[in-house]
């Protein structure tokens, strides 16, 4: 894609301020942050509603769905690492990350629609089609577009507070998109189904609408955002060997903390997002309760994230994340008082929403801090592999959780084509209850323990002063040589 569309959409890059420590202009912040909802639309569909589509619309067994997710994650792990390496070795005039967002925007939309274009080819044919299209979307296309997007956030500026602000705005928009998908997509699909008289067609039409909107948003992200952060002059055009990048990444304690938090949170997100629909339908007796319960949690998360710019400088990331985890446990325990009370369920969701806000708001600024830490410690920046490894952890957490859920539901004889609790086995109902009520408590506790090891809040400013002094010396040496 030399010249052509890439050059045509590059017009906003002219006369941009290329200072690495710039306060990113509001228009550029928004162009980047709105890119996250464009990706969240399809990620939420594939991590929550896709399972419902497979089991309750086209009739694939929960066990088969779980196996698809599990096997796919093996391929997904390799693709994440491969894409991270590709980003680190990309030297396009349109940036190392931006160019991939442009290249993959349309394929991303097409792959999303194909997920729900399930042909009537028998049970085994459906399983094979699901496996192929799921991997096309997640292993190939989503990986190839999401990794550059994540890396782009750390390449726009090195100002930590500005990165935190970008992350906060991004996550508020992301969770808003997730809330819309989780709460309103099923009612919208049901409405379209009533109009067309064809259930599966309604899934295709709604997904297609989301996909078209996503393409235009991502094209604007490419056109507006700027990569300002560059490697040191002597390594700018050199490719860091893979095993060097791997060692730098996986010996970085703050990357490992961010990764552990991401994996655990993703497991929580998948369990709550997937099991909530089942819990409402089979335990509370009304699948439409998904909207008020999900909305209560996510609206409060948005409010909590909006408070972070004032709270982070005072309390730090570690303290806020740990406090949020404690709130999550309290909210979960409260619902155990009466597990069929909708009003109590809403209160529980409100508390959980505020609890997850601290981590949700900073989840993508944590790797940015880890990148600076690695640069300070080793003298090398490894954005691509670090963010791709975060994504690999996110997808692994999602895939293994989905596989475990699917396997356990299958062993409990859960049947998604049965509409009421009376038609399900006692074991299936008990499993649905356990996933929604008890498993999240353990996940909150794990997140609390991991976050307690984060010590960078107090030492970050000193580390950056040393790093900048070192870079200044390098620049002077480089100037003297030339």
């Amino acid at each position: 894609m030399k010249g052509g569309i890439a050059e045509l959409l590059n017009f906003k890059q002219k006369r941009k301020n290329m200072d690495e420590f710039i306060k990113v202009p509001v228009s550029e912040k928004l162009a980047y942050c709105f890119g996250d909802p464009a990706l969240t639309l399809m990620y939420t569909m594939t991590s929550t509603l896709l399972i419902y589509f497979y089991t309750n619309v086209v009739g694939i067994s929960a066990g088969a769905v779980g196996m698809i997710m599990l096997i796919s994650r093996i391929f997904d792990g390799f693709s994440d690492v491969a894409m991270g390496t590709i980003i680190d070795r990309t030297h396009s005039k349109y940036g190392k990350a931006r160019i991939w967002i442009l290249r993959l925007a349309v394929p991303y939309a097409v792959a999303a629609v194909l997920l729900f274009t399930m042909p009537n080819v028998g049970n085994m044919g459906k399983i094979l089609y699901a496996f192929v299209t799921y991997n096309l979307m997640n292993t190939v296309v989503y990986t190839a577009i999401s990794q550059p997007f994540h890396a782009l956030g750390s390449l726009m500026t090195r100002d930590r507070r500005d990165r935190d602000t970008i992350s906060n705005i991004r996550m508020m928009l992301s969770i808003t998109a997730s809330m819309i998908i989780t709460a309103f997509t099923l009612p919208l699909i049901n409405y379209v189904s009533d109009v067309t008289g064809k259930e599966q067609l309604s899934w295709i039409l709604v997904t297609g609408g989301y996909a078209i909107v996503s393409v235009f948003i991502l094209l604007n992200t490419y056109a507006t955002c700027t990569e300002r952060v560059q490697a040191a002059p002597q390594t700018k055009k050199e490719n860091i060997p893979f095993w060097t990048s791997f060692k730098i990444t996986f010996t970085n304690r703050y990357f490992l903390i961010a990764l552990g938090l991401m994996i655990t949170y993703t497991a929580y997100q998948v369990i709550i997002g997937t099991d909530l629909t089942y819990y409402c339908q089979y335990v509370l007796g009304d699948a439409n309760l998904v909207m008020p319960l999900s909305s209560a949690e996510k609206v409060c998360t948005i409010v909590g994230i909006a408070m972070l710019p004032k709270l982070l400088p005072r309390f730090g990331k570690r303290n806020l994340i740990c406090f949020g985890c404690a709130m999550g446990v309290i909210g979960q325990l409260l619902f155990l008082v009466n597990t069929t009370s909708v009003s109590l369920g809403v209160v529980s969701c409100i508390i959980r929403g505020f609890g997850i806000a601290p981590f949700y708001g900073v989840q993508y600024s944590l790797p940015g801090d880890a990148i600076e830490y690695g640069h300070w410690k080793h003298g090398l920046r490894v954005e691509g592999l670090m963010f791709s490894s975060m994504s690999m952890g996110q997808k692994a957490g999602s895939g293994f959780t989905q596989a475990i859920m699917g396997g356990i539901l299958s062993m409990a004889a859960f049947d998604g084509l049965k509409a009421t609790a009376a038609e399900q086995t006692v074991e299936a109902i008990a499993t649905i209850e356990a996933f929604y009520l008890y498993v999240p408590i353990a996940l909150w506790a794990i997140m609390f323990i991991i976050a307690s090891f984060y010590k960078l809040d107090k030492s970050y400013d000193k580390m950056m002063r040393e790093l900048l002094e070192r870079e200044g010396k390098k620049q002077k040496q480089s100037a003297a040589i030339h």
Side-chain angles (χ1 to χ4, degrees):
M1 194 180 291
K2 295 182 179 179
I5 296 175
E7 187 62 36
L8 180 66
L9 295 178
N10 206 50
F11 69 96
K12 291 185 179 182
Q13 300 299 312
K14 295 179 180 179
R15 295 182 295 277
K16 280 287 191 80
N17 186 336
M18 297 302 291
D19 179 7
E20 287 187 333
F21 288 87
I22 189 177
K23 295 288 185 182
V24 178
V26 173
S27 60
E28 189 175 335
K29 281 188 175 81
L30 293 178
Y32 176 73
C33 292
F34 270 101
D36 197 288
L39 297 176
T40 298
L41 287 175
M42 292 301 103
Y43 177 76
T44 303
M45 291 286 284
T46 57
S47 64
T48 56
L49 293 176
L50 183 61
I51 296 177
Y52 183 86
F53 172 79
Y54 284 156
T55 59
N56 288 41
V57 177
V58 299
I60 300 176
S61 70
V65 172
M67 189 57 63
I68 289 172
M69 304 298 181
L70 180 61
I71 296 175
S72 298
R73 291 314 175 194
I74 298 174
F75 300 116
D76 219 352
F78 288 108
S79 71
D80 278 320
V81 174
M83 193 61 208
T85 303
I86 289 171
I87 294 169
D88 286 328
R89 299 187 177 203
T90 298
H91 304 297
S92 164
K93 65 175 287 189
Y94 305 108
K96 64 192 295 185
R98 286 176 60 238
I99 187 60
W100 292 105
I101 296 173
L102 175 63
R103 290 170 176 169
L104 275 299
V106 173
Y108 166 71
V110 173
V113 175
L114 288 176
L115 279 174
F116 299 95
T117 312
M118 178 69 71
N120 187 15
V121 289
N123 188 58
M124 183 55 67
K126 290 178 180 178
I127 292 173
L128 290 174
Y129 182 87
F131 179 80
V132 171
T133 54
Y134 182 82
N135 277 280
L136 175 65
M137 175 62 183
N138 285 276
T139 304
V140 180
V141 181
Y142 183 79
T143 293
I145 195 170
S146 64
Q147 302 315 311
F149 180 81
H150 297 325
L152 178 59
S154 70
L155 293 168
M156 292 164 64
T157 180
R158 292 179 72 182
D159 185 290
R160 190 193 192 198
R161 298 303 179 203
D162 218 37
R163 281 205 311 257
D164 287 344
T165 299
I166 291 171
S167 182
N168 294 163
I169 298 171
R170 173 186 173 184
M171 290 299 99
M172 283 192 287
L173 293 173
S174 175
I175 199 169
T176 300
S178 178
M179 178 174 64
I180 291 171
I181 296 298
T182 304
F184 297 104
T185 297
L186 276 179
L188 178 60
I189 287 172
N190 291 335
Y191 172 77
V192 175
S193 180
D194 291 339
V195 172
T196 62
K198 297 179 180 180
E199 185 178 19
Q200 186 178 340
L201 178 62
S202 66
W203 285 81
I204 296 172
L205 293 175
V206 171
T207 304
Y210 288 159
I212 291 171
V213 172
S214 297
V215 169
F216 284 102
I217 293 173
L218 290 168
L219 291 180
N220 185 58
T221 300
Y222 164 81
T224 307
C225 296
T226 303
E227 294 184 19
R228 298 178 179 86
V229 180
Q230 303 293 331
Q234 66 267 36
T235 61
K236 185 175 179 180
K237 295 299 183 180
E238 295 178 6
N239 292 325
I240 302 172
F242 172 77
W243 288 112
T244 300
S245 299
F246 185 87
K247 181 179 179 180
I248 290 172
T249 298
F250 285 93
T251 58
N252 186 323
R253 62 178 296 181
Y254 294 108
F255 164 75
L256 295 176
I257 290 171
L259 179 63
L261 289 170
M262 177 67 81
I263 292 173
T264 311
Y265 166 71
T266 301
Y268 166 83
Q269 184 184 46
V270 169
I271 288 172
I272 293 294
T274 301
D275 202 55
L276 176 60
T277 304
Y278 296 144
Y279 193 88
C280 289
Q281 180 172 342
Y282 298 111
V283 179
L284 300 181
D286 185 359
N288 290 324
L289 290 173
V290 169
M291 185 170 68
L293 289 172
S294 177
S295 298
E297 180 170 349
K298 288 176 179 175
V299 166
C300 291
T301 302
I302 294 171
V303 173
I305 293 172
M307 298 165 61
L308 289 180
K310 297 291 185 182
L311 297 174
L312 280 170
R314 182 176 180 183
F315 298 104
K317 294 176 182 177
R318 182 193 67 173
N319 293 338
L320 288 176
I321 293 173
C322 288
F323 179 75
C325 291
M327 285 188 67
V329 172
I330 292 171
Q332 204 69 29
L333 291 174
L334 182 63
F335 193 36
L336 295 180
V337 175
N338 185 346
T339 58
T340 58
S341 169
V342 176
S343 58
L344 197 58
V346 170
V347 173
S348 174
C349 287
I350 289 173
I351 297 173
R352 289 201 322 242
F354 280 112
I356 202 60
F359 172 71
Y360 202 98
V362 303
Q363 60 178 300
Y364 288 112
S365 67
L366 288 172
D369 295 345
I371 288 170
E372 298 292 359
Y373 175 79
H375 191 183
W376 169 77
K377 189 172 183 179
H378 300 287
L380 297 171
R381 297 182 68 86
V382 186
E383 289 97 351
L385 184 59
M386 194 164 290
F387 274 101
S388 68
S389 299
M390 285 289 293
S391 177
M392 181 176 66
Q394 183 183 41
K395 291 177 181 178
S398 174
F400 281 107
T401 303
Q402 289 169 332
I404 292 170
M405 286 186 71
I408 293 176
L409 284 169
S410 181
M411 288 189 292
F414 170 77
D415 186 345
L417 297 180
K418 294 179 178 178
T420 65
E423 298 175 89
Q424 299 288 354
T425 65
V426 173
E427 292 78 11
I429 300 301
T431 300
I432 291 171
E433 290 176 332
F435 274 126
Y436 189 77
L437 299 173
Y438 303 108
V439 175
I441 295 175
L443 296 176
W444 283 112
I446 293 171
M447 287 186 69
F448 181 95
I449 294 170
I450 294 173
S452 66
F453 288 97
Y454 187 85
K455 310 290 185 183
L456 200 56
D457 288 317
K458 294 181 179 180
S459 61
Y460 186 87
D461 290 341
K462 179 182 177 183
M463 177 191 78
M464 286 304 296
R465 283 194 297 269
E466 292 179 6
L467 180 57
L468 293 178
E469 289 173 3
R470 191 187 310 162
E471 289 179 353
K473 291 177 183 177
K474 286 183 178 181
Q475 291 169 1
K476 290 178 182 178
Q477 290 170 359
S478 177
I481 291 172
H482 295 287

